[in-house]
Structures are given as C-alpha cells and as structure tokens.
Amino acid sequence: MAVTVFGTSDPLEPSELETASVRYPRPSKLRAELSLEGARARRAAETLGLATVDDLLLHLPRDRREARAVAELVPGDNATVVVQVRSISSRSVRRRGMRPLVEATVADDSGAMTATFFNQPWLEQRYPVGTRLALHGKFEGRKGRRAVGGADANFLVQAHARTSDAVGGEGTVAHYPATEGLTSTQILALVSEHRAALAEVVEPLPAALRARERLPDRASALAEAHFGESSAGIQAARRRLAFDELLLAQLALRRRRLRRRALSSAPVLDHERDLTARWLSSMLPFSLTGDQGRALEAIDQDLARPQPMQRLLMGEVGSGKTVVALHAMLRAVEHGYQAALMAPTETLAEQHFGTLQTLMPGSLVPCGLLTGSTPARRRADLLGKLSSGELPLIVGTHALIEPGVRFARLGVAVVDEQHRFGVRQRAALDAKSSDPTHPDSDPSDPSDPADPGRPHVLHMTATPIPRTLALATYGDLDFTFLRELPAGRRPIETFVCSTSGERERAYERIREELRAGRQAFVVCPLVSESELLQARAATAEFERLRTGELRDFRVALLHGQMAAGAKQAAMSTFAAREADVLVATSVIEVGIDVPNATVMLVEDADRYGISQLHQLRGRIGRGQHESICLLFGSKDSARLRALASSTDGFKLAEIDLELRGEGELVGTRQHGEAQFRVAELPRDADLLELARTYAEDLVAVDPELAAPEHALLAHGLVAAFGAEALAPIPA
Ligand code: ADP
Ligand code: MG
C-alpha cells in the first residue's frame, strides 16, 4: 500500500520510506555493479564511466534512430530494425581459430532476415524465440528470399524484451554514446535488462519545488529519457535529470563555502605595513594595471577578515597573476607569517620562482624553492627553516604538502592551476592545501586541537573559462578576473587568409617582418592524432619553405617526434635569434617565450579548436613590436572569425562554448571542468542559475539538510560527493 510521507504528495512504498529515513543508503539494485561479459566490454564500460546500474541509467541516449522495415533494406545499408526472434542457434566457424557464431532468424511485419553474431555465444540463451530485438548494423544482402544481416558482428543486438515498449517507440531506437567494445546497441540491451531497477529510484526533490518548476518525477524522467517516444517528453526528462545533477553540485559547493567561512581561524592581516607599501611604491618595476589594482583590493579585504580567503584569480598567461600573488604573500610576511606558492609541475614552480626574483629586486624577502628534485641536503635545510619560521617564502610543487613539511606560521597559500580537477578532486586537494601546516591534524575538524589556524588561500588559473562554467565548478570560491593586458603588450592583429592571393601576401608580410629583424612561427596542420604523421607533415613543410617562399632566411624545425635534446636545441636556436623562422607542430603551445617573434602563420587553422588557436597565438605579441597572426582557412569558419575579432580569452571561451552547440558528445566534457553526466553547459545555463538560487535558499534555511523533506537530497549529496559533503557547518 502506498503512503504519503514528509508532507509531500508523493506516495512512497514502505521500503522506500525506510530508505528515506537513513542518510547512507544500503546497497540496492541501483548501486549494483554492472556485470559485463568480455574484457573488452568491461574496459569500454570503464571508459564510459559505467560502473554501476545507476551510472548506466544516467547514460542517456544522444538521439533516436528511425527503425527501417526489413523488406526495404538494400545491401550496404547501415540500418536499425526492430524485429522478433523466430529461431536462434549457435555453432562454431573456422576463422582464425574456432569462433563461436550465433545465427538468428528474425522478422518484422515486412519480412524476415538472418542476423549473425560472432563471439557472443551467450546470446543463444539470452534471446529465446519470441524476444523482440532492435538491431543495428550493415545489411549484407539477400540469399534467396531471405535477407542476410551482417557477417562479423555487423548486426549486433541492440535491445531485447518481450514487449515492444522496451526497445523504445515503434519506429525509433535510442542511440547511445558508445565506444569501441561497447556499442550503442549493446548499451540499449543493458539498459533494457536493468529496467526493473527504475522501481528503486527515489524522488530527491521536495514536492513544492517540483510543482513550482513543473519537473517530472525522477523515475519517470529516467524511463522517459531511455524509452520515451515524444521528443518533448524526452527533452523535459533530460532537463529534469540535468537539474538534479546541477542542484547537488551547487548544494555541495554552497555548503563547502559556508563551512569554510565558519572556520574562523585564519590570521587577520589588516594593517598597511611597511613592507608591502615599500615594494609597491619603489621596488615593483612597473605600475599595476587597473585589473591588478582591483585584485589587490579584493584580496586585502579578504585577508583582513578572520575567515580564510578562498579566491580564484583567473587571468591568461602574461596577465600578471604573479604580481597579485606576491602581494598577498608579502601581506602575510609583513604580519610575521609565512607564505607558500604551489604549482602543479616543476617547470611551473621554477618559472614562478624566477618571476618572483625579478619582481623583488634585491631579494626583498628570502624565498626558497622545493620540488621533487631538490637534493636531500637542500631539502632538509629548507624544511628546517620552514618549521623554525626562518624562511618566510617558499615556492614548490606538491612536495610542499608532503608529510614532514611543517610551517611555523603559514598565513597565505597560493595554489596555481587547479582547473584540471573536478569538484571531488578539488575537495580532496582543498583538504590538503587548506592546512598544509599540520598534515597530521584533521582539516575537516575545526575543533581539532592540533589545528593552529588555516591559511588564506588564493587559487590561480590561466585557463579562461566562461562564467557559467566557473559558477558550476568553482561556485564555492570568490572570483577575480584579470582581463586587461599589462601596459606595453601590443594587441595582436589576426587575419583569416583563404585565397592564393592572400597566401602570397601573407608570405610577403612574413618576409617584411623577417627583414626588419623580427622572427616568425609557422604552425603546421593538425593532420591526425598520430604524432608520427604530424612530424612528417611538419618536416615536409619545413623543406618546402626553406627552399621556397622563405629560402632567403634561416628556418628551423620543431616537432614532437624529435629527441628531447634536438627539441631543446631547436628552441634555443630560435630564442637566440639564430633562426628566423620556426616551423613547428602545435608543440609550441607550451613553454616558448620569444618576445622578438611577431608573426604566426597557422596552416589549416580550421582544424584547431578556438582555445588551442588562442593558446598558440599567445606565443606572439610578447614584445614591444606589433604582432600579426595569419590563419589559413575558410572565411566562413565561425571559429576563425571569432579569433580575428577578439584576443580576449574569456570572450573566446564563451564563443567556443556557444559554437559547440547542443547535443554534441564533446562539449563541456572535453573541458574537463564540468563533471556532469546529463547536464551540459552553457545549454543548461538557466537550470544552473535555478539550481544555484535554490541551493542558496535551501542552505540558508536548512544548512544541514536535516528536515525530513530534504533527507533524500542529503542522501543524494553523499552518494555524489561522499560523506564530507554533508559535514556539519559549525555555527
Ligand atoms: P602570469 O603569471 O599571469 O602568466 P606574470 O605574473 O608571470 O603573468 O607576468 C607576466 C610578465 O608581465 C612578467 O614578466 C611580469 O613582470 C610582467 N608584468 C606583470 N604585470 C605587469 C604590469 N602591470 N606592467 C608591466 N608588466 C607587467
Ligand atoms: Mg605565471
């Protein structure tokens, strides 16, 4: 019998009632691990992130395919049919050893055909006579009156069920994002198999919210998304499921933010002291940009409060983030605290270390460098000085948060480039970076007596991301953007060249620059994923240019297949102006700083993504001369037009996201920022906004999600982000 609970109008079965009352649900059908036959299929499932039945049900079809009538098929067609099994048998065939073969006679109203399945002997049992199947594959032809469906795993089982509704609408079949080893067809079969688990799906959203936003209930939304027939219904279902994901993420972020605020143990760094003032007024070798000035003000306000700063500083390479970071660190030092800057790689740590030296002429404050390759004696010396407090400033890699590293009084921690991590990983990193002082203390427990106080944390990233993505991913942080380039940096002019005349003029323009003593990059087409083919293309272009258009100049070559030493030599040759032109693959994206290079030519630019081209282009425009970027490609390309019209990485990131369009498999997933299965940004930006507002309001009235009507949200939060997502917020 169904009963009404929690003041909602949702009838829940008694068993669900039980689930609703516990915060950590016991294992259920939904939580069961997917069992798959074959190692290849298991690997594929892992690639697709399908570990449990729950994951599977959230793996939604990308679109639907029209089913065709068997009688209509023409040899060579790639088609989907919805049929019933008439007979099925297995045998082995001699083909590179004995391969098991299952042959089924299947039919729809229009006719019959043979479907052949290799290497799936278990199908004989699984699809007894009468089973309805959706099959997708290549149609091979007819033998006599009977059609023959694909040899060698061409016609694969798509779904099976005894009734028509389980394979989707009569005329269409769901098409899933798939990968090698696990086809869309097999995924649909799995989903159909686990359809019964939908009965265990509980409704996490309070009824009032669902009514207000007209959201279908979760179980129906899942059923509709997989098996529905109307596109409006499927769309509504998808939005509902996307909303759930966004809401949980926003709840987690919001709670984390409040929790951090409540940990009121960061040092108050509030007065103007001599050190920072002296540095700003007389030691900094340039004056700050407006954006930098505003960033310093925001940070000063954060540091003057006893709640630990949690600010994200976003600015592209060269926008001057290090100055801002140094200011925050000097603030700590002048108040008698230490400061640390942590970077993800040794190279970056070394670069930061170098930049800090130039920003503090005459070594204003002693600063150390600690990485994995710091020699043991040097390391021991540094650790000693950190724990005694003698060393005020340190730059390093993750070596800084290893156990054994102790600070006497860490006041400010700067963490560079966290953008590659998702919400969950960031939480883990945070737990470390929020309290590197005492690795033995439990940073999640504010009452821990070993907790000496938390540092203020400044996160930095050079990857411009649109605001919607920033909110979805870093909603627990305060943001500061550095969009303005430091004075003296010349904006880059970008042209799209399509015709042969434009190509001619482009080379002429390059020769002019070279004659004036400048240098040029030529970036070769992205021919394939294969490094080897890339390298060949670059080598060919190198040969062509140095005997052709650029024969009067010194041309060097750089590609990913060269030995490390040869790469290094090519880069140094170019940096030392011993070469005028560097012909390269996109390996130059990282790590080249040659201010004298003022031209970049990109072949087949349409093959690169917006952000990649923007990164590439960042190799020029670094000196006092004007720079130009020549993109060879179609004038119709929206991406190339975007690049020609703007050099603002944040704006380009927005355009990039817009252009990716709806339903594309790549999209936000490729960015690596959004960790959603269903939600897609910016398409779901309105849902994100709704989720954010709702999460804020909810946490304001019920921070611990303790009210009965929030119990299932609380449980969803734990399921998605772990128990720490529900850690209490101290009053
Ligand atoms: P980011 O870390 O954002 O890539 P950096 O802080 O390393 O950028 O700064 C890049 C370069 O620009 C450095 O050489 C720095 O000294 C210089 N720079 C930073 N701010 C300014 C400014 N306001 N005016 C002139 N040069 C600046
Ligand atoms: Mg930098």
Side-chain angles (χ1 to χ4, degrees):
M1 195 201 68
V3 289
T4 301
V5 285
F6 302 154
T8 76
S9 56
D10 290 337
L12 287 183
E13 295 300 327
S15 64
E16 290 175 333
L17 239 181
E18 215 178 82
T19 320
S21 64
V22 290
R23 293 208 149 188
Y24 305 94
R26 61 191 66 158
S28 65
K29 266 189 205 161
L30 288 169
R31 237 148 259 265
E33 279 189 23
L34 278 184
S35 70
L36 289 167
E37 278 151 302
R40 244 163 63 87
R42 279 192 291 273
R43 270 198 307 276
E46 198 178 319
T47 311
L48 293 172
L50 306 178
T52 62
V53 173
D54 206 22
D55 296 336
L56 177 71
L57 293 177
L58 284 172
H59 191 70
L60 302 188
R62 208 183 324 166
D63 51 35
R64 312 237 152 200
R65 285 184 174 167
E66 289 289 314
R68 307 261 308 272
V70 169
E72 277 174 15
L73 298 179
V74 174
D77 276 359
N78 262 307
T80 301
V81 293
V82 177
V83 290
Q84 197 161 31
V85 176
R86 292 268 179 83
S87 70
I88 185 161
S89 64
S90 72
R91 60 190 166 92
S92 290
V93 290
R94 187 170 293 285
R95 234 206 192 205
R96 274 182 263 134
M98 293 300 277
R99 298 178 77 196
L101 169 90
V102 172
E103 248 178 11
T105 304
V106 297
D108 64 9
D109 292 343
S110 74
M113 60 182 280
T114 306
T116 314
F117 312 98
F118 280 106
N119 284 330
Q120 301 171 76
W122 56 84
L123 295 183
E124 190 186 355
Q125 261 74 52
R126 196 184 283 174
Y127 304 129
V129 171
T131 306
R132 280 182 58 87
L133 299 172
L135 302 177
H136 180 81
K138 189 166 162 210
F139 181 68
E140 303 247 303
R142 281 162 221 279
K143 240 193 234 157
R145 291 186 52 228
R146 199 197 268 169
V148 181
D152 208 9
N154 269 331
F155 259 98
L156 286 177
V157 169
Q158 201 160 24
H160 70 103
R162 287 179 188 282
T163 59
S164 66
D165 59 1
V167 288
E170 265 307 302
T172 63
V173 174
H175 182 221
Y176 288 86
T179 185
E180 206 181 310
L182 198 56
T183 59
S184 165
T185 60
Q186 289 162 315
I187 294 171
L188 181 48
L190 277 173
V191 173
S192 305
E193 234 167 82
H194 290 286
R195 191 174 189 178
L198 284 176
E200 288 191 4
V201 170
V202 287
E203 174 53 61
L205 298 186
L209 171 67
R210 267 179 47 209
R212 194 183 77 201
E213 302 298 333
R214 302 217 195 128
L215 298 167
D217 75 84
R218 186 168 166 88
S220 332
L222 281 165
E224 182 73 20
H226 289 286
F227 308 110
E229 291 175 38
S230 90
S231 63
I234 293 168
Q235 205 39 37
R238 202 201 61 82
R239 280 176 63 80
R240 155 68 213 247
L241 298 171
F243 179 75
D244 286 6
E245 266 183 341
L246 293 168
L247 178 61
L248 287 182
Q250 290 299 311
L251 278 174
L253 290 169
R254 189 73 198 162
R255 291 196 84 260
R256 200 156 77 215
R257 180 185 172 93
L258 291 185
R259 229 175 95 72
R260 279 213 204 93
R261 291 249 149 139
L263 302 171
S264 53
S265 55
V268 174
L269 313 173
D270 58 349
H271 350 274
E272 267 299 322
R273 295 271 170 100
D274 183 47
L275 182 67
T276 311
R278 199 149 47 89
W279 173 68
L280 275 178
S281 64
S282 58
M283 296 188 146
L284 194 61
F286 43 74
S287 53
L288 298 173
T289 67
D291 278 353
Q292 282 171 326
R294 280 183 287 278
L296 297 197
E297 272 168 35
I299 289 171
D300 279 347
Q301 282 175 17
D302 291 345
L303 297 180
R305 282 193 290 256
Q307 293 91 12
M309 167 168 75
Q310 285 293 341
R311 187 169 287 276
L312 175 64
L313 181 64
M314 289 191 259
E316 292 187 66
V317 172
S319 60
K321 295 184 294 298
T322 320
V323 183
V324 177
L326 180 56
H327 174 85
M329 296 196 286
L330 291 179
R331 268 300 160 109
V333 174
E334 70 183 0
H335 285 79
Y337 287 87
Q338 293 165 295
L341 192 166
M342 186 168 80
T345 67
E346 288 197 9
T347 314
L348 272 172
E350 282 159 17
Q351 270 175 20
H352 278 303
F353 185 69
T355 309
L356 290 186
Q357 310 294 316
T358 58
L359 289 175
M360 293 187 294
S363 43
L364 180 68
V365 173
C367 181
L369 175 67
L370 178 68
T371 69
S373 52
T374 305
R377 279 186 53 195
R378 173 101 192 103
R379 180 182 137 92
D381 179 50
L382 286 171
L383 295 198
K385 287 180 174 158
L386 284 177
S387 63
S388 71
E390 190 186 333
L391 184 62
L393 261 188
I394 186 110
V395 177
T397 56
H398 282 70
L400 285 179
I401 51 169
E402 275 167 16
V405 180
R406 284 171 194 264
F407 291 82
R409 308 181 77 201
L410 184 62
V412 168
V414 181
V415 184
D416 196 17
E417 294 301 352
Q418 281 206 2
H419 68 278
R420 297 186 209 117
F421 307 102
V423 174
R424 205 192 274 257
Q425 294 98 311
R426 269 167 26 73
L429 261 179
D430 250 9
K432 281 188 178 171
S433 66
S434 64
D435 191 13
T437 22
H438 277 235
D440 307 331
S441 72
D442 175 5
S444 62
D445 179 4
S447 63
D448 185 340
D451 185 355
R454 270 148 232 276
H456 294 283
V457 182
L458 180 68
H459 305 267
M460 304 199 294
T461 176
T463 306
I465 59 172
R467 203 182 147 70
T468 42
L469 280 188
L471 270 180
T473 319
Y474 304 115
D476 57 333
L477 306 181
D478 298 305
F479 305 148
T480 296
F481 293 87
L482 296 185
R483 302 178 79 130
E484 207 178 322
L485 293 179
R489 297 200 111 216
R490 300 287 197 114
I492 303 162
E493 269 206 275
T494 299
F495 304 96
V496 180
C497 309
S498 308
T499 66
S500 58
E502 282 166 340
R503 181 174 271 269
E504 276 315 302
R505 259 173 284 147
Y507 285 120
E508 185 47 44
R509 187 63 211 274
I510 292 177
R511 288 189 289 264
E512 271 169 32
E513 290 288 316
L514 298 181
R515 276 185 229 115
R518 306 283 86 77
Q519 290 163 283
F521 292 107
V522 173
V523 182
C524 294
L526 197 63
V527 276
S528 78
E529 291 295 304
S530 150
E531 286 248 13
L532 188 64
L533 293 182
Q534 294 277 47
R536 283 202 194 134
T539 310
E541 183 65 6
F542 165 72
E543 291 298 341
R544 195 184 74 75
L545 287 176
R546 71 182 188 142
T547 52
E549 277 95 345
L550 302 177
R551 64 181 159 270
D552 298 335
F553 302 94
R554 298 164 300 174
V555 185
L557 173 67
L558 176 65
H559 62 67
Q561 292 278 296
M562 287 163 46
K567 270 190 228 173
Q568 198 52 53
M571 289 205 241
S572 336
T573 305
F574 189 66
R577 297 202 196 184
E578 285 157 17
D580 305 300
V581 182
L582 187 64
V583 176
T585 56
S586 53
V587 292
I588 55 162
E589 251 184 273
V590 280
I592 282 199
D593 187 9
V594 182
N596 190 48
T598 54
V599 200
M600 172 171 288
L601 183 165
V602 184
E603 288 283 354
D604 263 340
D606 336 44
R607 294 208 183 203
Y608 290 93
I610 286 188
S611 57
Q612 211 177 357
L613 285 169
H614 180 64
Q615 291 286 343
L616 280 170
R617 184 169 63 176
R619 300 296 115 208
I620 55 173
R622 299 168 82 87
Q624 71 272 53
H625 302 284
E626 261 171 46
S627 290
I628 56 168
C629 177
L630 305 160
L631 302 176
F632 284 10
S634 165
K635 290 223 174 23
D636 296 334
S637 160
R639 280 182 286 156
L640 299 191
R641 280 209 305 269
L643 279 150
S645 71
S646 176
T647 50
D648 179 340
F650 291 100
K651 194 165 164 200
L652 288 172
E654 306 259 354
I655 297 175
D656 193 15
L657 212 48
E658 294 289 329
L659 288 179
R660 281 161 193 262
E662 290 195 7
E664 215 175 303
L665 186 59
V666 280
T668 52
R669 253 152 226 110
Q670 219 180 33
H671 272 257
E673 286 101 17
Q675 305 285 306
F676 305 117
R677 281 183 180 282
V678 183
E680 263 180 54
L681 295 167
R683 156 157 76 151
D684 294 322
D686 61 324
L687 284 177
L688 173 65
E689 217 35 68
L690 182 67
R692 194 167 71 99
T693 317
Y694 188 74
E696 276 176 21
D697 295 350
L698 183 64
V699 173
V701 297
D702 184 13
E704 306 301 333
L705 305 183
E709 67 269 28
H710 300 145
L712 289 173
L713 272 179
H715 138 191
L717 203 58
V718 171
F721 300 107
E724 69 273 11
L726 209 55
I729 298 171

